[in-house]
Amino acid sequence: MGTVQQPRLADVLVIGSGAAGLSAALHLAPHRRVTVISKGPVDEGSTRYAQGGISAVLDRTDSFDAHIQDTLDAGAGLCDPDAVRRTVAAGPEAIHWLLNLGVPFTREPLEGRSRLHLTREGGHSARRVAHAADATGRAIEEALVRSASGQGSIEVFERHVAVDLITQPVDGTRRVVGAYVQDAKTREVETILAPTVILATGGASKVYLYSSNPDGSTGDGIAMAWRAGCRIANMEFMQFHPTCLFHPRAKSFLISEAVRGEGGVLLLPNGERFMPRFDERAELAPRDIVARAVDHEMKRLGIDHVNLDISHKPAEFIREHFPTIHERCLEFGFDMTREPLPVVPAAHYTCGGVMVNHFGQTDLPGLYAAGEASYTGLHGANRMASNSLLECLVYARAAADHILSQTDLPAPENLPVPPAWDESRVTESQEEVVVAHDWDELRRLMWDYVGIVRARERLHRAERRIRILQEEIHEYYSHFRISPDLLELRNLAMVAEIIVKSALSRKESRGLHFIRDYPDTDPALDGQPTILAPENALRPGDTRRP
């Protein structure tokens, strides 16, 4: 069980290879040596599975003020208005940057020319979602990977899992100096030294039994930042996508919100449309309202799914607008041009995360976070559709620009070298089934007790069981050689605890957080995010301000 003695060196270490991570790397590449680590193949991650698109003001009939107001409305009084304004204002430039990278956004004819086709999704008052058919995330990820592969200053390590951040005192101040990283193939742990680290690890939706996210969405960056002393905010606001395909082999395949944006309606088994009973915007209400409505009807009627129907639209229209979804549904025996699709809610997006300021800086000097792993204040109590990829691009650019403006960063070769990873006192586990069992139990109890509708009694029950699971995981982590599965379980358990603590501390219902004990929204809590600090918090003050 050898360990790499000489650390790898980089000017910037980017943990994660989705839209946020690769965008930041590309902005940095002309001026810095960048190392990117990816848990799986470089193009695998949540970005690839984003179907809908990116919201930005691109039409003369739209406005920044309207996009800002829609975002604030969806965020239910918890958005940071300054973060919203900055992000919305940067939207058009982000789209043009992607166009220059060769992202094949869908276009439509206009007066002998063509322009971007814009669709509308839940919470938006106008058509402002640029998309590449119904596979926008894949188109963006492929363009980013292609561009990064042509940069000699970007080094990518696939199938490498971050174990923990490394902090050391430098000139009297504790700062991040890199990370321990495990090669998933050899299981060797090596040290990567870098004066700057960007967490772009995505969200934590796999903490729930049913999720639309890929398997790697295990809250790694959030957990690592918490262990390093950073504050975490708004983790009670977990977004459940209302419409994932209900099929035992579909693995919660997402049916894009754009299907509802283009006229799809939600129906009960008897064909009754129910969303107008819950909100005047019906199927175009924000996701929290739609998800709760679906959950309510399923529990009221004792049914295991509802139906999403767009078959009243012309078949050619459906195939043209949703080619990927149409083809995938056919594989499972559903023809959306002829019949409704069975759908259920599933955990989809983590609205909270590591607290950052407008430059993506966390509490820990040298550590940045971007994308779903971060809390910027953009989403508030509920993320509006297609604002997530926008946030990735805008904050990746902001973090890169801020890093490039720093002229006093230590060179990686001058950083203090931490101890090499020590495995001399651990053994190979003969009981991997323990990890699998704890993983399953954690996700089931989160689904049952900390789901779409909550209650304090169930939250306390989850809290007690999570504490026991954490003790088991710590015991296992301390005595056996680590594995990627164990690292993810350890991170998930930590994030689960943070979610429960956050949910218990918010004594109201707002946005994505609905709790039976406090069914009303408390106006006194407007603009008040839930902020948790670990015992080793650096407590530098509110870093959400520049």
Side-chain angles (χ1 to χ4, degrees):
M1 299 184 194
T3 56
V4 177
Q5 297 301 317
Q6 292 300 318
R8 296 184 185 273
L9 303 179
D11 294 323
V12 183
L13 171 62
V14 178
I15 304 177
S17 61
L22 289 183
S23 295
L26 286 169
H27 289 304
L28 290 163
H31 310 285
R32 298 288 189 273
R33 295 171 296 164
V34 183
T35 293
V36 177
I37 65 169
S38 175
K39 286 171 69 172
V42 67
D43 62 349
E44 180 70 19
S46 291
T47 294
R48 184 176 184 84
Y49 296 92
Q51 296 171 340
I54 308 177
S55 58
V57 176
L58 300 166
D59 188 274
R60 67 185 64 180
T61 64
D62 197 6
S63 69
F64 286 157
D65 286 344
H67 190 178
I68 290 168
Q69 191 59 53
D70 289 345
T71 301
L72 294 174
D73 288 346
L78 281 192
C79 296
D80 177 343
D82 197 18
V84 175
R85 283 191 294 270
R86 288 170 180 256
T87 306
V88 168
E93 182 182 357
I95 296 294
H96 290 303
W97 183 72
L98 289 176
L99 285 167
N100 289 333
L101 291 184
V103 175
F105 285 111
T106 298
R107 308 187 75 88
E108 63 180 351
L110 177 69
E111 299 175 355
R113 304 172 61 188
S114 71
R115 66 175 181 180
L116 292 180
H117 177 269
L118 303 177
T119 190
R120 182 183 173 191
E121 296 184 345
H124 292 273
S125 61
R127 286 181 172 266
R128 65 168 68 98
V129 180
H131 63 103
D134 62 346
T136 309
R138 184 174 66 191
I140 291 172
E141 185 70 9
E142 288 175 352
L144 292 172
V145 171
R146 184 170 60 248
S147 300
S149 65
Q151 298 286 338
S153 57
I154 298 178
E155 189 175 26
V156 178
F157 291 94
E158 296 182 297
R159 296 177 176 83
H160 279 64
V161 183
V163 180
D164 256 326
L165 298 169
I166 303 171
T167 62
Q168 294 280 340
V170 178
D171 296 329
T173 300
R174 184 164 75 88
R175 61 174 296 118
V176 70
V177 296
Y180 291 117
V181 176
Q182 183 179 50
D183 184 327
K185 290 182 179 178
T186 66
R187 296 189 48 186
E188 288 189 341
V189 177
E190 57 185 293
T191 303
I192 300 180
L193 287 183
T196 304
V197 177
I198 301 176
L199 294 173
T201 53
S205 289
K206 293 301 287 190
V207 76
Y208 288 99
L209 183 60
Y210 301 111
S211 170
S212 66
N213 287 193
D215 290 341
S217 299
T218 51
D220 303 331
I222 297 169
M224 286 190 291
W226 178 262
R227 289 193 291 266
C230 297
R231 291 169 302 158
I232 309 295
N234 274 18
M235 287 298 290
E236 69 270 37
F237 298 109
M238 299 293 292
Q239 186 177 80
F240 288 79
H241 198 288
T243 55
C244 289
L245 186 66
F246 180 74
H247 189 279
R249 293 189 294 108
K251 205 173 184 181
S252 296
F253 175 68
L254 182 68
I255 306 299
S256 170
E257 189 156 325
V259 172
R260 284 177 283 132
E262 295 295 343
V265 293
L266 287 163
L267 305 174
L268 297 176
N270 65 0
E272 176 191 347
R273 188 179 176 195
F274 61 88
M275 275 309 303
R277 289 195 276 109
F278 291 88
D279 193 280
E280 62 182 10
R281 292 164 291 186
E283 282 78 11
L284 289 179
R287 287 175 178 170
D288 60 323
I289 295 173
V290 181
R292 274 201 302 277
V294 173
D295 182 71
H296 177 273
E297 292 300 286
M298 288 171 58
K299 289 176 178 175
R300 180 177 72 87
L301 298 173
I303 55 179
D304 52 14
H305 66 84
V306 297
N307 294 319
L308 176 62
D309 190 13
I310 196 172
S311 63
H312 52 275
K313 289 280 190 175
E316 183 179 349
F317 174 90
I318 295 171
R319 286 192 290 265
E320 178 184 348
H321 282 73
F322 308 110
T324 305
I325 297 174
H326 176 256
E327 181 179 343
R328 186 73 168 143
C329 287
L330 285 176
E331 293 176 11
F332 295 113
F334 304 112
D335 185 350
M336 63 190 294
T337 68
R338 297 173 177 269
E339 61 187 336
L341 300 175
V343 293
V344 293
H348 183 61
Y349 192 86
T350 308
C351 287
V354 186
M355 288 189 71
V356 299
N357 64 10
H358 297 309
F359 307 115
Q361 291 176 288
T362 72
D363 294 336
L364 181 63
L367 181 65
Y368 294 73
E372 196 175 351
S374 69
Y375 168 76
T376 65
L378 173 65
H379 305 308
N382 184 21
R383 174 181 72 92
M384 190 167 69
S386 291
N387 270 355
S388 52
L389 286 174
L390 175 64
E391 182 186 45
C392 287
L393 297 170
V394 171
Y395 277 86
R397 178 65 179 268
D401 288 347
H402 190 265
I403 291 166
L404 293 175
S405 73
Q406 305 300 298
T407 59
D408 58 349
L409 292 174
E413 53 269 22
N414 293 332
L415 291 171
V417 179
W421 187 260
D422 183 9
E423 293 186 326
S424 62
R425 290 175 291 180
V426 298
T427 61
E428 291 285 358
S429 171
Q430 303 300 317
E431 296 290 341
E432 292 287 346
V433 68
V434 175
V435 174
H437 180 274
D438 284 356
W439 181 295
D440 184 66
E441 181 175 350
L442 178 68
R443 295 175 65 203
R444 286 183 181 277
L445 73 87
M446 288 295 290
W447 183 263
D448 291 339
Y449 301 147
V450 200
I452 296 173
V453 176
R454 298 161 178 172
R456 287 184 66 82
E457 180 183 356
R458 283 185 285 170
L459 290 173
H460 282 301
R461 189 176 300 142
E463 187 177 40
R464 290 191 295 272
R465 186 57 200 151
I466 290 168
R467 193 174 299 121
I468 295 171
L469 282 173
Q470 285 181 322
E471 292 174 359
E472 295 175 2
I473 293 165
H474 177 71
E475 182 78 8
Y476 199 95
Y477 184 87
S478 301
H479 290 87
F480 299 109
R481 196 179 185 198
I482 60 174
S483 67
D485 284 347
L486 176 59
L487 293 175
E488 290 183 331
L489 174 62
R490 178 183 182 229
N491 291 333
L492 272 181
M494 181 163 287
V495 170
E497 179 187 17
I498 295 170
I499 292 171
V500 172
K501 287 183 181 297
S502 299
L504 283 168
S505 67
R506 183 166 291 278
K507 295 178 174 59
E508 65 164 352
S509 291
R510 182 189 294 263
L512 300 168
H513 173 67
F514 185 86
I515 183 165
R516 293 189 182 279
D517 308 80
Y518 306 99
D520 299 319
T521 298
D522 183 353
L525 296 178
D526 287 355
Q528 301 296 316
T530 302
I531 301 173
L532 298 185
E535 293 181 0
N536 62 333
L538 302 176
R539 306 185 189 281
D542 186 3
T543 59
R544 289 180 60 244
R545 301 292 181 264

